[in-house]
């Protein structure tokens, strides 16, 4: 399901115009969510690399490693500012 155009426009505005302040509370992502997002992204990257290969597009480099999962997921808990 694709986001509604108005929602996509609002999200783009928030990403471009609003930056978190140092005093804002940081909400860490749970480890399971970080892992799940990585698995989903790897699947999308693998399908995209497959499509590029099947289309015969000349690409510099190998697109297959784009879908590799990291050996260890990034830490879901941010380090305290200091």
């Amino acid at each position: 399901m694709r986001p509604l155009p108005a929602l996509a426009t609002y999200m783009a505005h928030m990403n471009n115009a609003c930056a978190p302040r140092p005093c804002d509370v940081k909400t860490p992502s749970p480890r399971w969510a970080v892992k799940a997002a990585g698995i989903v992204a790897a699947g999308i990257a693998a399908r995209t690399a497959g499509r590029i290969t099947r289309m015969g597009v000349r690409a510099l480099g190998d697109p297959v490693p784009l879908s590799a999962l990291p050996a260890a997921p990034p830490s879901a808990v941010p380090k305290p500012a200091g």
Side-chain angles (χ1 to χ4, degrees):
M1 182 173 163
R2 294 184 178 203
L4 300 172
L7 178 59
T9 302
Y10 174 74
M11 290 169 58
H13 166 73
M14 293 300 290
N15 283 335
N16 295 326
C18 302
R21 299 169 300 176
C23 63
D24 287 344
V25 176
K26 293 181 176 131
T27 307
S29 297
R31 288 188 189 279
W32 65 265
V34 173
K35 183 177 179 183
I39 292 170
V40 169
I44 292 169
R47 286 192 301 277
T48 301
R51 271 189 242 124
I52 290 170
T53 302
R54 284 190 303 277
M55 289 174 25
V57 174
R58 182 173 174 240
L60 299 177
D62 185 7
V64 175
L66 296 175
S67 62
L69 289 172
S75 174
V77 180
K79 296 185 182 189

